[in-house]
Amino acid sequence: MTSDPDYDVVVVGAGVTGLTVANRLRAAGRSVIVLEARDRVGGRLLTDTLDGVRLEVGGQWVSPDQTSLLALLAELGLETYSRYREGESVYIGLDGVRCTFAGEKFPVSERTANEMDRLTVILDKLAAEMDPLEPWNHPDADRLDRVSFAAWLAEETDDAEARDNIGLYIGPAMLTKPAHSFSALSAVLMAASAGGFSHLVDADFILDRRVVGGLQRVPLALASRLPAGTVRLGEAVTKVEWDADGATVFTGQGGYRGRNVVMAVPPTLVSRVQYVPALPPVQAQMRQHISFGLVIKLHITYATPFWRELGLSGTAFSPYALVHEAYDNTNEDVEGETRGTLVGFVSDVKADGLLALDAASRRERVLESLAAYYGPEALSPVHYYESPWMADEWTVGAFGTSFDIGSLTRYGRHLRSDVGPLAFASSDIAGLGFQHVDGAIRMGEAVAARLLS
Ligand code: FDA
């Protein structure tokens, strides 16, 4: 096809990545259209009020290392507030005993604590040696990519509780996959992308702040800065015809021709679209080795934040509990809010088990798990909600995507390669800010800069 382009750039996907690309190109005077399958913008960011409770259904936290997100928040005039963290945290260890503690160090035996500290130093060193944009160039990349994170931990220590806790920070809590299913190199990438493994261990750092009014205000504000009609909702892209001069992107409503196309969708969803001609073999192969993790984000609201009266911060961890981590997620920015909300997570194989149950049984199991942390009052919420990302056809998992063992070194370098007029971008292929909104902004800005040059 050789017709003149309708637009300089057609952007597919109105998540933070796609909207960042569109804003940066528009600001430079380029003509842009954004095609979004859903009837809303924001992708994996959704701030919704359900039965009178405002919930962060998707992403919500901002940490100090996320400098691109912090800069964008300042640019958009959006304010943040600190997550509630007064009081003691709860930990349930390998022996099943519940303990409360202050600070970051879990109340484990001295030996386990020493092993956790030692592993943290090793992982920090490995992360410091890695450029998260090029993990395949890590000096020990080949070896680390051939071994699962679980096997690597087993090589490093015979302390099961230390392994389970260190595994938790990157497995269930970040990549949301079992530690035996991704490589040690992917684990180091997760740490390097957040500025070091120590940051992932420190909930006060990694889950530092929330955005007043909710994090979805970021994509909503980005969309509102674009001229009316730029973002077209309800337009799922099904086919892209491309040649050396440009590409035509097809939705149920017709075709849109652009000199360039940016596929600002998760790498797994790139393959759902038909390409004519087909993408080069390495692109098609690569995307069969990336998959979404699985985590159920739980929102449980109570008449009051009763745990605060018990001297608890709401922060709770256990690699052995169904809900492996939970936090006070009360909306401090809602005037007159008297209710208290906990947010909790059930990940990977535990999520498989939970999803096999009916809704009433799932709720019962989750509340029992919370009661083990906070006591019997946790059994009586006024509102209970499970974020449904794994069943949402325009995401199909949470939080993000990662490679299987051996594939980061084999395919990673092709993730950000253009194919003719087609560019690919998403938080899932970011270096710094990998799998986070910060990475979405970084990827959006990088692709826009490349197209402008
Ligand atoms: P995203 O997936 O958001 O956007 C892609 C867009 O493309 C979607 O709108 C989709 O509908 C659209 N699309 C897909 N296929 C299409 C097609 N064929 N045609 C048209 N449109 C198509 N991050 C963080 O920084 N702090 C946090 O606390 C959290 N927590 C968190 C919790 C949960 C439950 C989730 C699911 C995620 C997070 N995250 C997070 C991650 C963060 O939300 C995520 O990294 C970014 O929002 C991703 O932005 P992108 O624009 O890259 O993809």
Short mmCIF file of all heavy atoms in Angstrom, two decimals, residues 187-253:
data_model
loop_
_atom_site.label_atom_id
_atom_site.label_comp_id
_atom_site.label_asym_id
_atom_site.label_seq_id
_atom_site.Cartn_x
_atom_site.Cartn_y
_atom_site.Cartn_z
N ALA A 187 15.25 -12.21 37.84
CA ALA A 187 15.14 -11.70 39.22
C ALA A 187 16.06 -10.50 39.41
O ALA A 187 15.66 -9.48 39.99
CB ALA A 187 15.50 -12.80 40.21
N VAL A 188 17.29 -10.60 38.88
CA VAL A 188 18.24 -9.49 39.02
C VAL A 188 17.73 -8.28 38.22
O VAL A 188 17.85 -7.14 38.67
CB VAL A 188 19.65 -9.92 38.56
CG1 VAL A 188 20.62 -8.74 38.61
CG2 VAL A 188 20.18 -11.05 39.45
N LEU A 189 17.13 -8.52 37.05
CA LEU A 189 16.55 -7.42 36.28
C LEU A 189 15.48 -6.69 37.10
O LEU A 189 15.43 -5.46 37.14
CB LEU A 189 15.94 -7.94 34.97
CG LEU A 189 15.03 -6.95 34.22
CD1 LEU A 189 15.80 -5.70 33.82
CD2 LEU A 189 14.42 -7.60 32.98
N MET A 190 14.61 -7.47 37.77
CA MET A 190 13.55 -6.84 38.57
C MET A 190 14.18 -5.93 39.64
O MET A 190 13.72 -4.82 39.88
CB MET A 190 12.72 -7.95 39.23
CG MET A 190 11.45 -7.47 39.90
SD MET A 190 10.19 -6.89 38.74
CE MET A 190 10.06 -5.17 39.21
N ALA A 191 15.26 -6.44 40.26
CA ALA A 191 15.92 -5.65 41.31
C ALA A 191 16.61 -4.41 40.70
O ALA A 191 16.46 -3.30 41.20
CB ALA A 191 16.94 -6.52 42.03
N ALA A 192 17.35 -4.63 39.60
CA ALA A 192 18.09 -3.51 38.98
C ALA A 192 17.13 -2.43 38.48
O ALA A 192 17.43 -1.24 38.55
CB ALA A 192 18.94 -4.04 37.82
N SER A 193 15.97 -2.85 38.00
CA SER A 193 15.01 -1.87 37.45
C SER A 193 14.43 -0.98 38.55
O SER A 193 13.90 0.09 38.27
CB SER A 193 13.88 -2.59 36.72
OG SER A 193 12.97 -3.15 37.65
N ALA A 194 14.52 -1.43 39.81
CA ALA A 194 14.01 -0.64 40.93
C ALA A 194 15.15 0.04 41.68
O ALA A 194 14.94 0.57 42.77
CB ALA A 194 13.22 -1.54 41.88
N GLY A 195 16.37 -0.01 41.12
CA GLY A 195 17.50 0.66 41.75
C GLY A 195 18.22 -0.21 42.76
O GLY A 195 19.10 0.28 43.47
N GLY A 196 17.85 -1.50 42.87
CA GLY A 196 18.55 -2.40 43.79
C GLY A 196 17.58 -3.31 44.50
O GLY A 196 16.40 -2.97 44.67
N PHE A 197 18.08 -4.49 44.91
CA PHE A 197 17.20 -5.44 45.61
C PHE A 197 16.73 -4.88 46.94
O PHE A 197 15.59 -5.10 47.36
CB PHE A 197 17.93 -6.78 45.80
CG PHE A 197 17.08 -7.82 46.45
CD1 PHE A 197 16.05 -8.42 45.75
CD2 PHE A 197 17.27 -8.17 47.78
CE1 PHE A 197 15.23 -9.37 46.35
CE2 PHE A 197 16.46 -9.12 48.39
CZ PHE A 197 15.44 -9.72 47.67
N SER A 198 17.60 -4.11 47.62
CA SER A 198 17.22 -3.54 48.93
C SER A 198 15.95 -2.70 48.83
O SER A 198 15.19 -2.61 49.80
CB SER A 198 18.34 -2.66 49.47
OG SER A 198 19.49 -3.41 49.65
N HIS A 199 15.73 -2.08 47.68
CA HIS A 199 14.51 -1.28 47.52
C HIS A 199 13.25 -2.15 47.53
O HIS A 199 12.20 -1.76 48.03
CB HIS A 199 14.56 -0.49 46.20
CG HIS A 199 15.50 0.66 46.25
ND1 HIS A 199 15.88 1.36 45.14
CD2 HIS A 199 16.15 1.24 47.28
CE1 HIS A 199 16.72 2.32 45.47
NE2 HIS A 199 16.90 2.27 46.78
N LEU A 200 13.37 -3.36 46.94
CA LEU A 200 12.20 -4.25 46.87
C LEU A 200 11.83 -4.78 48.26
O LEU A 200 10.68 -5.10 48.54
CB LEU A 200 12.47 -5.43 45.94
CG LEU A 200 12.80 -5.11 44.48
CD1 LEU A 200 12.99 -6.39 43.69
CD2 LEU A 200 11.70 -4.26 43.85
N VAL A 201 12.83 -4.88 49.13
CA VAL A 201 12.64 -5.42 50.48
C VAL A 201 11.98 -4.37 51.38
O VAL A 201 11.33 -4.71 52.37
CB VAL A 201 14.03 -5.80 51.06
CG1 VAL A 201 13.94 -6.26 52.48
CG2 VAL A 201 14.69 -6.86 50.18
N ASP A 202 12.15 -3.12 51.01
CA ASP A 202 11.71 -2.02 51.87
C ASP A 202 10.34 -1.50 51.42
O ASP A 202 10.25 -0.68 50.51
CB ASP A 202 12.78 -0.91 51.78
CG ASP A 202 12.46 0.26 52.69
OD1 ASP A 202 11.41 0.23 53.36
OD2 ASP A 202 13.28 1.20 52.74
N ALA A 203 9.28 -1.99 52.08
CA ALA A 203 7.92 -1.60 51.68
C ALA A 203 7.72 -0.09 51.80
O ALA A 203 6.97 0.51 51.03
CB ALA A 203 6.88 -2.34 52.52
N ASP A 204 8.43 0.52 52.77
CA ASP A 204 8.27 1.97 52.93
C ASP A 204 8.86 2.73 51.75
O ASP A 204 8.49 3.87 51.49
CB ASP A 204 8.95 2.45 54.23
CG ASP A 204 8.12 2.04 55.44
OD1 ASP A 204 6.97 1.59 55.23
OD2 ASP A 204 8.62 2.15 56.57
N PHE A 205 9.77 2.08 51.03
CA PHE A 205 10.36 2.70 49.84
C PHE A 205 9.50 2.39 48.61
O PHE A 205 8.98 3.28 47.95
CB PHE A 205 11.78 2.18 49.63
CG PHE A 205 12.48 2.80 48.46
CD1 PHE A 205 13.28 3.92 48.61
CD2 PHE A 205 12.35 2.26 47.18
CE1 PHE A 205 13.92 4.50 47.53
CE2 PHE A 205 12.97 2.83 46.09
CZ PHE A 205 13.77 3.96 46.27
N ILE A 206 9.30 1.11 48.36
CA ILE A 206 8.72 0.70 47.08
C ILE A 206 7.21 1.02 47.03
O ILE A 206 6.64 1.24 45.97
CB ILE A 206 9.00 -0.81 46.80
CG1 ILE A 206 8.95 -1.10 45.31
CG2 ILE A 206 8.15 -1.76 47.58
CD1 ILE A 206 10.14 -0.67 44.54
N LEU A 207 6.56 1.07 48.19
CA LEU A 207 5.13 1.41 48.24
C LEU A 207 4.97 2.73 49.01
O LEU A 207 4.18 2.84 49.94
CB LEU A 207 4.33 0.31 48.95
CG LEU A 207 4.60 -1.14 48.49
CD1 LEU A 207 3.75 -2.11 49.28
CD2 LEU A 207 4.32 -1.30 47.01
N ASP A 208 5.75 3.72 48.61
CA ASP A 208 5.87 4.94 49.41
C ASP A 208 4.62 5.82 49.38
O ASP A 208 4.01 6.11 50.40
CB ASP A 208 7.10 5.71 48.91
CG ASP A 208 7.37 6.96 49.71
OD1 ASP A 208 7.01 6.96 50.90
OD2 ASP A 208 7.94 7.92 49.16
N ARG A 209 4.21 6.24 48.18
CA ARG A 209 3.18 7.28 48.09
C ARG A 209 2.05 6.88 47.16
O ARG A 209 2.20 5.99 46.31
CB ARG A 209 3.81 8.60 47.61
CG ARG A 209 4.94 9.08 48.51
CD ARG A 209 5.42 10.45 48.12
NE ARG A 209 4.49 11.50 48.55
CZ ARG A 209 4.39 11.95 49.79
NH1 ARG A 209 5.13 11.43 50.75
NH2 ARG A 209 3.54 12.90 50.08
N ARG A 210 0.92 7.55 47.34
CA ARG A 210 -0.23 7.37 46.46
C ARG A 210 -0.62 8.73 45.87
O ARG A 210 -0.30 9.76 46.44
CB ARG A 210 -1.41 6.78 47.25
CG ARG A 210 -1.10 5.44 47.86
CD ARG A 210 -2.26 4.91 48.66
NE ARG A 210 -3.47 4.84 47.85
CZ ARG A 210 -4.68 4.57 48.36
NH1 ARG A 210 -4.82 4.34 49.65
NH2 ARG A 210 -5.73 4.52 47.57
N VAL A 211 -1.34 8.68 44.76
CA VAL A 211 -1.73 9.93 44.10
C VAL A 211 -3.11 10.35 44.61
O VAL A 211 -4.04 9.54 44.68
CB VAL A 211 -1.74 9.74 42.57
CG1 VAL A 211 -2.37 10.94 41.87
CG2 VAL A 211 -0.33 9.50 42.07
N VAL A 212 -3.22 11.61 45.00
CA VAL A 212 -4.50 12.14 45.44
C VAL A 212 -5.52 11.96 44.31
O VAL A 212 -5.27 12.34 43.17
CB VAL A 212 -4.37 13.65 45.80
CG1 VAL A 212 -5.74 14.27 46.08
CG2 VAL A 212 -3.43 13.81 47.00
N GLY A 213 -6.64 11.30 44.62
CA GLY A 213 -7.66 11.06 43.60
C GLY A 213 -7.43 9.79 42.80
O GLY A 213 -8.30 9.38 42.03
N GLY A 214 -6.25 9.17 42.96
CA GLY A 214 -5.99 7.89 42.28
C GLY A 214 -5.01 8.02 41.13
O GLY A 214 -4.94 9.05 40.46
N LEU A 215 -4.27 6.94 40.88
CA LEU A 215 -3.20 6.96 39.85
C LEU A 215 -3.77 7.02 38.43
O LEU A 215 -3.08 7.44 37.50
CB LEU A 215 -2.29 5.75 40.04
CG LEU A 215 -0.95 5.70 39.30
CD1 LEU A 215 -0.14 6.98 39.47
CD2 LEU A 215 -0.12 4.51 39.74
N GLN A 216 -5.04 6.63 38.24
CA GLN A 216 -5.60 6.74 36.88
C GLN A 216 -5.73 8.20 36.44
O GLN A 216 -5.93 8.47 35.26
CB GLN A 216 -6.96 6.04 36.79
CG GLN A 216 -7.33 5.73 35.33
CD GLN A 216 -8.79 5.36 35.12
OE1 GLN A 216 -9.55 5.29 36.10
NE2 GLN A 216 -9.18 5.11 33.89
N ARG A 217 -5.59 9.12 37.39
CA ARG A 217 -5.63 10.54 36.99
C ARG A 217 -4.48 10.85 36.01
O ARG A 217 -4.59 11.80 35.24
CB ARG A 217 -5.56 11.44 38.22
CG ARG A 217 -6.85 11.42 39.03
CD ARG A 217 -6.77 12.36 40.21
NE ARG A 217 -6.83 13.75 39.81
CZ ARG A 217 -6.42 14.76 40.59
NH1 ARG A 217 -5.93 14.51 41.78
NH2 ARG A 217 -6.50 16.01 40.17
N VAL A 218 -3.40 10.08 36.07
CA VAL A 218 -2.27 10.34 35.15
C VAL A 218 -2.71 10.11 33.70
O VAL A 218 -2.64 11.04 32.89
CB VAL A 218 -1.03 9.48 35.53
CG1 VAL A 218 0.03 9.56 34.45
CG2 VAL A 218 -0.47 9.95 36.87
N PRO A 219 -3.18 8.90 33.32
CA PRO A 219 -3.61 8.75 31.91
C PRO A 219 -4.81 9.64 31.56
O PRO A 219 -4.89 10.10 30.41
CB PRO A 219 -3.94 7.25 31.80
CG PRO A 219 -4.08 6.75 33.19
CD PRO A 219 -3.19 7.60 34.04
N LEU A 220 -5.70 9.87 32.51
CA LEU A 220 -6.84 10.76 32.20
C LEU A 220 -6.34 12.16 31.86
O LEU A 220 -6.81 12.78 30.91
CB LEU A 220 -7.81 10.80 33.40
CG LEU A 220 -8.63 9.51 33.60
CD1 LEU A 220 -9.35 9.53 34.96
CD2 LEU A 220 -9.65 9.32 32.47
N ALA A 221 -5.36 12.64 32.63
CA ALA A 221 -4.82 13.99 32.37
C ALA A 221 -4.06 14.01 31.05
O ALA A 221 -4.17 14.97 30.27
CB ALA A 221 -3.91 14.42 33.52
N LEU A 222 -3.29 12.93 30.77
CA LEU A 222 -2.56 12.88 29.50
C LEU A 222 -3.54 12.91 28.32
O LEU A 222 -3.31 13.60 27.32
CB LEU A 222 -1.69 11.62 29.44
CG LEU A 222 -0.43 11.60 30.31
CD1 LEU A 222 0.22 10.21 30.25
CD2 LEU A 222 0.58 12.66 29.85
N ALA A 223 -4.63 12.14 28.44
CA ALA A 223 -5.62 12.10 27.35
C ALA A 223 -6.29 13.46 27.17
O ALA A 223 -6.54 13.89 26.04
CB ALA A 223 -6.65 11.01 27.63
N SER A 224 -6.56 14.14 28.28
CA SER A 224 -7.28 15.41 28.19
C SER A 224 -6.42 16.51 27.56
O SER A 224 -6.94 17.51 27.10
CB SER A 224 -7.78 15.85 29.57
OG SER A 224 -6.68 16.29 30.33
N ARG A 225 -5.09 16.30 27.53
CA ARG A 225 -4.23 17.32 26.91
C ARG A 225 -4.16 17.16 25.39
O ARG A 225 -3.61 18.02 24.70
CB ARG A 225 -2.81 17.24 27.49
CG ARG A 225 -2.75 17.61 28.94
CD ARG A 225 -1.38 18.08 29.37
NE ARG A 225 -0.31 17.15 29.00
CZ ARG A 225 0.93 17.26 29.45
NH1 ARG A 225 1.25 18.23 30.27
NH2 ARG A 225 1.84 16.39 29.10
N LEU A 226 -4.69 16.06 24.89
CA LEU A 226 -4.67 15.85 23.43
C LEU A 226 -5.90 16.49 22.80
O LEU A 226 -6.96 16.56 23.45
CB LEU A 226 -4.65 14.35 23.13
CG LEU A 226 -3.39 13.60 23.59
CD1 LEU A 226 -3.61 12.09 23.53
CD2 LEU A 226 -2.20 14.01 22.74
N PRO A 227 -5.81 16.96 21.56
CA PRO A 227 -6.98 17.56 20.91
C PRO A 227 -8.16 16.58 20.87
O PRO A 227 -7.94 15.36 20.75
CB PRO A 227 -6.49 17.87 19.49
CG PRO A 227 -5.00 17.89 19.58
CD PRO A 227 -4.62 16.97 20.68
N ALA A 228 -9.38 17.11 20.96
CA ALA A 228 -10.58 16.26 20.94
C ALA A 228 -10.54 15.34 19.72
O ALA A 228 -10.15 15.76 18.63
CB ALA A 228 -11.82 17.14 20.91
N GLY A 229 -10.92 14.09 19.92
CA GLY A 229 -10.98 13.14 18.80
C GLY A 229 -9.68 12.39 18.58
O GLY A 229 -9.62 11.45 17.79
N THR A 230 -8.60 12.79 19.29
CA THR A 230 -7.32 12.10 19.10
C THR A 230 -7.38 10.67 19.62
O THR A 230 -6.84 9.75 19.03
CB THR A 230 -6.18 12.86 19.82
OG1 THR A 230 -6.13 14.18 19.32
CG2 THR A 230 -4.83 12.19 19.60
N VAL A 231 -8.02 10.51 20.80
CA VAL A 231 -8.12 9.16 21.39
C VAL A 231 -9.46 8.57 20.98
O VAL A 231 -10.52 9.14 21.27
CB VAL A 231 -8.01 9.21 22.93
CG1 VAL A 231 -8.12 7.80 23.51
CG2 VAL A 231 -6.71 9.87 23.36
N ARG A 232 -9.41 7.45 20.28
CA ARG A 232 -10.65 6.80 19.84
C ARG A 232 -10.85 5.53 20.65
O ARG A 232 -10.07 4.57 20.52
CB ARG A 232 -10.59 6.51 18.33
CG ARG A 232 -10.49 7.84 17.53
CD ARG A 232 -10.55 7.56 16.06
NE ARG A 232 -11.79 6.91 15.67
CZ ARG A 232 -12.81 7.52 15.09
NH1 ARG A 232 -12.75 8.82 14.83
NH2 ARG A 232 -13.88 6.84 14.75
N LEU A 233 -11.89 5.55 21.51
CA LEU A 233 -12.16 4.41 22.39
C LEU A 233 -12.99 3.36 21.67
O LEU A 233 -13.66 3.65 20.67
CB LEU A 233 -12.90 4.91 23.64
CG LEU A 233 -12.17 5.95 24.48
CD1 LEU A 233 -13.06 6.43 25.64
CD2 LEU A 233 -10.84 5.42 25.00
N GLY A 234 -12.94 2.15 22.19
CA GLY A 234 -13.75 1.06 21.61
C GLY A 234 -13.27 0.66 20.23
O GLY A 234 -14.04 0.14 19.42
N GLU A 235 -11.98 0.91 19.93
CA GLU A 235 -11.44 0.54 18.61
C GLU A 235 -10.31 -0.47 18.79
O GLU A 235 -9.14 -0.10 18.90
CB GLU A 235 -10.96 1.78 17.86
CG GLU A 235 -12.11 2.71 17.50
CD GLU A 235 -12.00 3.24 16.08
OE1 GLU A 235 -11.51 2.51 15.19
OE2 GLU A 235 -12.41 4.39 15.88
N ALA A 236 -10.70 -1.72 18.86
CA ALA A 236 -9.70 -2.79 18.99
C ALA A 236 -9.01 -3.01 17.65
O ALA A 236 -9.68 -3.25 16.64
CB ALA A 236 -10.37 -4.08 19.45
N VAL A 237 -7.71 -2.93 17.63
CA VAL A 237 -6.95 -3.15 16.40
C VAL A 237 -6.82 -4.65 16.15
O VAL A 237 -6.42 -5.41 17.03
CB VAL A 237 -5.55 -2.49 16.51
CG1 VAL A 237 -4.65 -2.89 15.35
CG2 VAL A 237 -5.71 -0.97 16.59
N THR A 238 -7.22 -5.06 14.94
CA THR A 238 -7.18 -6.49 14.62
C THR A 238 -6.14 -6.82 13.56
O THR A 238 -5.66 -7.95 13.48
CB THR A 238 -8.56 -6.96 14.10
OG1 THR A 238 -8.95 -6.08 13.04
CG2 THR A 238 -9.61 -6.93 15.21
N LYS A 239 -5.78 -5.81 12.73
CA LYS A 239 -4.85 -6.10 11.63
C LYS A 239 -3.99 -4.88 11.34
O LYS A 239 -4.47 -3.74 11.43
CB LYS A 239 -5.65 -6.49 10.38
CG LYS A 239 -4.78 -6.89 9.22
CD LYS A 239 -5.58 -7.63 8.15
CE LYS A 239 -6.12 -6.69 7.11
NZ LYS A 239 -6.60 -7.36 5.91
N VAL A 240 -2.71 -5.13 11.02
CA VAL A 240 -1.81 -4.06 10.61
C VAL A 240 -1.15 -4.48 9.29
O VAL A 240 -0.49 -5.51 9.24
CB VAL A 240 -0.71 -3.81 11.67
CG1 VAL A 240 0.28 -2.74 11.19
CG2 VAL A 240 -1.32 -3.40 13.02
N GLU A 241 -1.41 -3.68 8.24
CA GLU A 241 -0.72 -3.92 6.96
C GLU A 241 0.42 -2.93 6.86
O GLU A 241 0.20 -1.72 7.03
CB GLU A 241 -1.69 -3.71 5.79
CG GLU A 241 -2.73 -4.80 5.68
CD GLU A 241 -3.70 -4.59 4.51
OE1 GLU A 241 -3.57 -3.58 3.78
OE2 GLU A 241 -4.61 -5.42 4.36
N TRP A 242 1.63 -3.42 6.64
CA TRP A 242 2.78 -2.51 6.66
C TRP A 242 3.69 -2.70 5.46
O TRP A 242 3.72 -3.78 4.85
CB TRP A 242 3.56 -2.65 7.97
CG TRP A 242 4.11 -4.02 8.24
CD1 TRP A 242 3.42 -5.09 8.73
CD2 TRP A 242 5.44 -4.48 8.01
NE1 TRP A 242 4.24 -6.18 8.83
CE2 TRP A 242 5.49 -5.84 8.41
CE3 TRP A 242 6.61 -3.87 7.54
CZ2 TRP A 242 6.67 -6.59 8.33
CZ3 TRP A 242 7.78 -4.63 7.46
CH2 TRP A 242 7.80 -5.98 7.86
N ASP A 243 4.41 -1.64 5.12
CA ASP A 243 5.42 -1.68 4.05
C ASP A 243 6.49 -0.66 4.41
O ASP A 243 6.46 -0.09 5.51
CB ASP A 243 4.79 -1.41 2.68
CG ASP A 243 4.01 -0.10 2.66
OD1 ASP A 243 4.53 0.88 3.21
OD2 ASP A 243 2.89 -0.07 2.13
N ALA A 244 7.39 -0.40 3.50
CA ALA A 244 8.51 0.48 3.82
C ALA A 244 8.06 1.92 4.08
O ALA A 244 8.73 2.68 4.78
CB ALA A 244 9.54 0.44 2.69
N ASP A 245 6.90 2.32 3.53
CA ASP A 245 6.48 3.73 3.62
C ASP A 245 5.55 4.02 4.78
O ASP A 245 5.26 5.17 5.07
CB ASP A 245 5.75 4.15 2.32
CG ASP A 245 6.65 3.99 1.12
OD1 ASP A 245 7.85 4.30 1.25
OD2 ASP A 245 6.16 3.54 0.07
N GLY A 246 5.01 2.99 5.41
CA GLY A 246 4.07 3.25 6.50
C GLY A 246 3.23 2.02 6.77
O GLY A 246 3.58 0.90 6.37
N ALA A 247 2.12 2.23 7.48
CA ALA A 247 1.28 1.09 7.83
C ALA A 247 -0.17 1.54 7.93
O ALA A 247 -0.47 2.70 8.26
CB ALA A 247 1.73 0.50 9.17
N THR A 248 -1.08 0.61 7.65
CA THR A 248 -2.50 0.88 7.84
C THR A 248 -3.00 -0.05 8.94
O THR A 248 -2.77 -1.27 8.91
CB THR A 248 -3.30 0.65 6.54
OG1 THR A 248 -2.70 1.41 5.51
CG2 THR A 248 -4.75 1.08 6.72
N VAL A 249 -3.64 0.58 9.93
CA VAL A 249 -4.09 -0.14 11.11
C VAL A 249 -5.60 -0.29 11.02
O VAL A 249 -6.31 0.70 10.82
CB VAL A 249 -3.69 0.68 12.37
CG1 VAL A 249 -4.29 0.09 13.61
CG2 VAL A 249 -2.18 0.78 12.48
N PHE A 250 -6.10 -1.52 11.16
CA PHE A 250 -7.53 -1.76 10.97
C PHE A 250 -8.21 -2.08 12.31
O PHE A 250 -7.71 -2.88 13.10
CB PHE A 250 -7.76 -2.93 10.01
CG PHE A 250 -7.30 -2.63 8.61
CD1 PHE A 250 -6.01 -2.94 8.20
CD2 PHE A 250 -8.16 -2.00 7.71
CE1 PHE A 250 -5.57 -2.64 6.91
CE2 PHE A 250 -7.73 -1.70 6.41
CZ PHE A 250 -6.43 -2.02 6.02
N THR A 251 -9.37 -1.45 12.49
CA THR A 251 -10.25 -1.78 13.62
C THR A 251 -11.61 -2.10 13.00
O THR A 251 -11.76 -2.02 11.76
CB THR A 251 -10.40 -0.59 14.58
OG1 THR A 251 -11.22 0.41 13.95
CG2 THR A 251 -9.05 0.02 14.94
N GLY A 252 -12.60 -2.39 13.82
CA GLY A 252 -13.94 -2.64 13.29
C GLY A 252 -14.52 -1.42 12.60
O GLY A 252 -15.49 -1.52 11.84
N GLN A 253 -13.96 -0.24 12.85
CA GLN A 253 -14.51 1.00 12.29
C GLN A 253 -13.81 1.44 11.01
O GLN A 253 -14.16 2.47 10.45
CB GLN A 253 -14.38 2.16 13.28
CG GLN A 253 -14.40 1.80 14.72
CD GLN A 253 -15.75 1.93 15.33
OE1 GLN A 253 -16.43 2.92 15.10
NE2 GLN A 253 -16.16 0.94 16.07
#
